[in-house]
Amino acid sequence: MFAKESARGESYTAKATLTVTDPSGVLSSASLSNLANAVAQNIVSLNADAGATAKADATTQSIDFTATGANADDAVATVNAIAYESADAIQVALAQQGDAYWDSVNEAGSLGAASDAFAPGTTSADRVAALKSCVFTVAEASAAAGSGSSNVVKYAVVGLLGGLFAVGCVLVLVDAMRRPLKTKDNVRECTDAPVLAQGATPQDGERLWANVQFASEEPVGSVGVVPVSAVDTQQLCGVLKTAMEAQWPQAHVVAVEGGDLAAATRAGDSAGAVLKCAPLADGMAAAYGARAAQATIVVARTWKDSQAALCDTLKELQLAGGNVVGIVLVD
């Protein structure tokens, strides 16, 4: 709608009012209003290209005209022209009606049949004079109101608010169904394992290595790193290795692959080893690495990994006999 309104550009609408009055008070207000409205609607239909409308008000004997144009001057000129054209047409219609009534009276040789269009007790001459003496007043339009730009703004605001509402609904639905890990509090909701670090900077590596040693009941010589889902843990393993070098100068990173438990065990027995594992979704190498390492940490991504996926990984590693000491949250 924004694009549509922008392409259409600015439009202007002007309003003029035609009032028809009977100074004699002989004519019926309802009949006069109906006739004037019928003629006005016919004039409006002939000016359909101008986007013109006409609306009659029987209580005030008036007709409101509107017209739309590409610029304000066109709209004003068009609506005023339609109002005056309608006034002329209504005047002609009333005069023709008067002539037809007078002819019928002459042919009948009497006052003719009573009619609801006239007040009771009036003569034929009064009635004909009333039909031909109506006064027409046009309140011309002097300005036009623009609508195009306001519509563009309106649709832009509606689109923005609707989009934000839709995004909010999606986030609420995703949060309710997936329960993603957003903070440490979400980790505590599904496991007692502590969050040892949040990030993969050198400072996070030092904090992680210290917390691994604090959380483990036995001295730690090798650490397994298992991600919940597909995420590159190379940087995390690197900063962890750097932190371990203070105690194990020969610290190194070993990628655990395949299903060779013996190879994983040898890697885990190597002092200062950081066992870099793929997620369990890629195979059982992570389970072998967790079993071989003296301590294992699980890496979870905020907003992308769910509480359910974290719990499933922890259960699988515990089943493999891994010593899971905590969780690392990364972006």
Side-chain angles (χ1 to χ4, degrees):
M1 296 301 296
F2 178 85
K4 178 182 176 181
E5 291 296 328
S6 298
R8 186 170 63 181
E10 186 84 3
S11 62
Y12 295 84
T13 301
K15 176 183 175 182
T17 302
L18 168 63
T19 303
V20 184
T21 55
D22 170 25
S24 65
V26 172
L27 302 179
S28 165
S29 296
S31 298
L32 180 59
S33 178
N34 290 337
L35 178 115
N37 183 51
V39 175
Q41 295 296 342
N42 184 52
I43 298 300
V44 165
S45 66
L46 298 176
N47 293 271
D49 293 341
T53 64
K55 182 178 180 182
D57 186 344
T59 58
T60 60
Q61 296 293 303
S62 63
I63 303 173
D64 292 329
F65 297 90
T66 61
T68 301
N71 58 67
D73 292 339
D74 288 346
V76 170
T78 299
V79 77
N80 289 336
I82 292 175
Y84 281 112
E85 184 180 355
S86 297
D88 293 341
I90 295 170
Q91 187 175 25
V92 170
L94 289 173
Q96 290 175 346
Q97 191 177 66
D99 292 340
Y101 175 74
W102 186 254
D103 290 342
S104 66
V105 169
N106 290 334
E107 291 177 2
S110 65
L111 294 180
S115 172
D116 294 335
F118 304 97
T122 58
T123 66
S124 300
D126 292 336
R127 298 171 184 178
V128 172
L131 288 169
K132 295 186 177 183
S133 63
C134 287
V135 177
F136 301 87
T137 305
V138 175
E140 296 184 356
S142 58
S147 60
S149 59
S150 61
N151 280 344
V152 170
V153 173
K154 177 181 71 175
Y155 287 126
V157 172
V158 170
L160 175 62
L161 295 179
L164 291 176
F165 177 75
V167 169
C169 291
V170 170
L171 290 177
V172 170
L173 181 62
V174 170
D175 189 79
M177 296 181 63
R178 293 187 64 249
R179 300 178 66 195
L181 298 168
K182 295 169 285 186
T183 64
K184 293 189 290 186
D185 293 335
N186 300 127
V187 175
R188 297 191 188 102
E189 291 174 3
C190 64
T191 177
D192 294 330
V195 175
L196 305 178
Q198 291 182 269
T201 65
Q203 293 78 11
D204 292 315
E206 294 176 2
R207 183 180 298 107
L208 176 58
W209 173 233
N211 286 334
V212 166
Q213 295 178 88
F214 299 152
S216 179
E217 297 178 357
E218 301 292 337
V220 177
S222 61
V223 180
V225 178
V226 179
V228 173
S229 59
V231 58
D232 186 4
T233 58
Q234 184 63 42
Q235 183 178 356
L236 179 63
C237 291
V239 297
L240 178 58
K241 175 188 78 70
T242 300
M244 294 172 65
E245 287 174 348
Q247 184 175 348
W248 305 100
Q250 71 277 25
H252 58 285
V253 178
V254 180
V256 178
E257 300 175 352
D260 191 343
L261 178 58
T265 302
R266 288 193 298 271
D269 290 339
S270 177
V274 178
L275 279 61
K276 179 178 178 293
C277 305
L280 285 167
D282 293 348
M284 293 303 294
Y288 293 134
R291 184 177 182 86
Q294 295 175 1
T296 299
I297 59 174
V298 175
V299 182
R301 296 182 296 171
T302 55
W303 288 100
K304 295 182 180 179
D305 290 332
S306 66
Q307 295 182 29
L310 174 60
C311 291
D312 290 342
T313 300
L314 293 175
K315 290 178 182 178
E316 190 80 19
L317 297 181
Q318 290 169 358
L319 181 62
N323 177 28
V324 179
V325 295
I327 312 297
V328 176
L329 288 177
V330 297
D331 294 331

